[in-house]
Amino acid sequence: MSAPTKADSFAETADRLFDELDETGIVTIPDALSPAQLASMQRAFGARLKRLRWNNVDGYERTERYRHMVHDVLQLDQGFVDVALNATIKHILRRYLGPGYELTEAKGWKSLPTTRDFHGWHGDAWYDQAAATEIHREIKLAIYLTDVKSGAFNYIRGSHRKEHPRGVKNIEVKDVPQSQIAEMYRPAGSVFLFDTSGIHRQGVPMLEPRQACFYNFHDPEVKLEQENVDSYRYHPLILNAAFLGGVSEEDQRILGFGRTTNFIPAYERPTPRTAIERSMGALHVAQLHTRDFTTRVTGRLRRIFG
Ligand SMILES: O=C(O)CCC(=O)C(=O)O
């Protein structure tokens, strides 16, 4: 018998990881990021976490108490694109989701320390369940950007593909043995995949800030839940040309090049303008007027006296 080739061992490893994902709903992908990639991603993500997004400054979005959101992370650093197109991950996703799967969302957040169970047990509802004749497949890829020693991602092994995803009350899972729960305490740079129909949550308590990204992969032809259409959650990916050199045809498909299925022309978020937004806008304009006035007056004084 001839010695196994590099390609054999790659496929064998990827198939073994696929089997684990298929059986338990969750699997860790070893060595998905190099230390240099991780450091660069951490820097880029950290820059976005420095301040709230406002006017001409990029930053995080804050619509809830315990999380700072960073959307569209594929813009931020090459590593965020490379991990989505990692050969082992593609091999697994092709098998699990079928050849037409795409990356449909790439975002991350900083979770703030709290003892509140604000992101409890659930399966991710994303497709139109009334129209669905099956439990549609979706995989999330999780990337830890900080060491996670508390508030880890939790997943009930084997709970995937049992029913349409929904919120799950604590009482419904009270008899699940601890040994069935994957508590993903892991160092920064860890990457894992999970089937989002399985029951999962952000663990409590969160004792220190945690930074993590979650990517979403599914078949873009599946009809979305209306709420996700209204919020434009699965908008075409926002990409950065600097990171797209030499992408293969398959990678272009995964990144949704040219796909307009979920594009909404002239989209406006159906959110009423708040008093805070109006006041901030008015204050900002007042500041611009003052600056302009001061510049003109000092210019005139300089011309007269100077
Ligand atoms: O932040 C976490 O650990 C939980 C993430 C989660 O529940 C999700 O992405 O659906």
Side-chain angles (χ1 to χ4, degrees), residues 109 119 122 124 140 153 200-202 210 214:
W109 56 84
H119 197 182
H122 64 281
D124 289 353
K140 267 188 180 164
F153 176 82
H200 60 279
R201 68 167 181 177
Q202 179 185 286
R210 189 200 78 181
F214 289 84

Side-chain angles (χ1 to χ4, degrees), residues 118-192:
F118 75 94
H119 197 182
W121 293 111
H122 64 281
D124 289 353
W126 62 278
Y127 57 85
D128 180 352
Q129 297 189 0
T133 52
E134 59 182 295
I135 302 168
H136 288 294
R137 285 176 182 251
E138 183 185 68
I139 292 289
K140 267 188 180 164
L141 173 147
I143 310 162
Y144 282 170
L145 294 175
T146 50
D147 293 340
V148 176
K149 298 182 183 138
S150 69
F153 176 82
N154 290 183
Y155 191 93
I156 302 183
R157 288 193 198 86
S159 62
H160 58 307
R161 309 208 40 76
K162 300 276 187 292
E163 57 175 334
H164 286 311
R166 63 178 178 87
V168 175
K169 296 196 175 68
N170 282 347
I171 193 147
E172 294 179 75
V173 298
K174 75 175 186 354
D175 294 328
V176 173
Q178 197 54 36
S179 58
Q180 206 184 323
I181 301 179
E183 291 184 291
M184 306 300 278
Y185 299 110
R186 297 278 191 283
S190 300
V191 170
F192 52 92

Side-chain angles (χ1 to χ4, degrees), residues 1-291:
M1 214 170 80
S2 57
T5 63
K6 206 170 165 201
D8 283 340
S9 65
F10 164 79
E12 272 166 31
T13 306
D15 284 337
R16 191 172 37 73
L17 295 170
F18 166 86
D19 289 342
E20 187 176 337
L21 175 68
D22 198 32
E23 191 183 320
T24 67
I26 185 163
V27 67
T28 296
I29 307 298
D31 307 319
L33 291 173
S34 70
Q37 277 177 314
L38 173 64
S40 188
M41 290 161 76
Q42 286 170 322
R43 270 197 304 277
F45 196 75
R48 281 290 162 101
L49 284 173
K50 285 199 173 138
R51 56 203 285 192
L52 193 64
R53 196 167 88 178
W54 154 252
N55 199 22
N56 62 345
V57 212
D58 281 322
Y60 61 85
E61 217 173 80
R62 190 154 190 193
T63 54
E64 38 183 281
R65 184 158 165 205
Y66 295 108
R67 290 193 299 182
H68 295 180
M69 279 287 164
V70 180
H71 288 277
D72 305 311
V73 296
L74 302 180
Q75 303 171 76
L76 300 185
D77 186 84
Q78 183 74 57
F80 289 106
V81 177
D82 291 349
V83 70
L85 302 176
N86 169 288
T88 306
I89 292 173
K90 283 194 294 193
H91 181 97
I92 297 169
L93 293 180
R94 225 179 283 124
R95 284 195 62 192
Y96 200 87
L97 299 172
Y101 84 85
E102 288 183 14
L103 172 57
T104 55
E105 180 182 55
K107 68 180 181 195
W109 56 84
K110 175 163 94 171
S111 301
L112 304 182
T114 178
T115 51
R116 264 195 64 192
D117 187 8
F118 75 94
H119 197 182
W121 293 111
H122 64 281
D124 289 353
W126 62 278
Y127 57 85
D128 180 352
Q129 297 189 0
T133 52
E134 59 182 295
I135 302 168
H136 288 294
R137 285 176 182 251
E138 183 185 68
I139 292 289
K140 267 188 180 164
L141 173 147
I143 310 162
Y144 282 170
L145 294 175
T146 50
D147 293 340
V148 176
K149 298 182 183 138
S150 69
F153 176 82
N154 290 183
Y155 191 93
I156 302 183
R157 288 193 198 86
S159 62
H160 58 307
R161 309 208 40 76
K162 300 276 187 292
E163 57 175 334
H164 286 311
R166 63 178 178 87
V168 175
K169 296 196 175 68
N170 282 347
I171 193 147
E172 294 179 75
V173 298
K174 75 175 186 354
D175 294 328
V176 173
Q178 197 54 36
S179 58
Q180 206 184 323
I181 301 179
E183 291 184 291
M184 306 300 278
Y185 299 110
R186 297 278 191 283
S190 300
V191 170
F192 52 92
L193 298 174
F194 63 96
D195 180 324
T196 67
S197 69
I199 301 172
H200 60 279
R201 68 167 181 177
Q202 179 185 286
V204 270
M206 178 76 70
L207 300 177
E208 54 270 304
R210 189 200 78 181
Q211 294 176 26
C213 291
F214 289 84
Y215 293 6
N216 232 298
F217 297 88
H218 59 235
D219 176 351
E221 293 292 338
V222 173
K223 187 166 184 280
L224 296 170
E225 184 185 63
Q226 191 56 37
E227 197 182 309
N228 288 325
V229 177
D230 295 341
S231 65
Y232 205 14
R233 177 162 178 185
Y234 300 107
H235 57 76
L237 298 175
I238 311 287
L239 297 165
N240 183 332
F243 308 143
L244 299 176
V247 280
S248 68
E249 243 174 71
E250 185 191 22
D251 294 348
Q252 291 184 27
R253 195 215 72 240
I254 293 169
L255 296 173
F257 277 31
R259 175 180 285 283
T260 54
T261 316
N262 292 318
F263 171 64
I264 305 178
Y267 174 77
E268 271 185 73
R269 190 174 290 281
T271 308
R273 293 190 76 205
T274 60
I276 294 184
E277 187 190 341
R278 272 198 299 270
S279 325
M280 298 251 299
L283 262 174
H284 181 60
V285 171
Q287 199 189 33
L288 293 177
H289 278 282
T290 311
R291 199 198 298 162

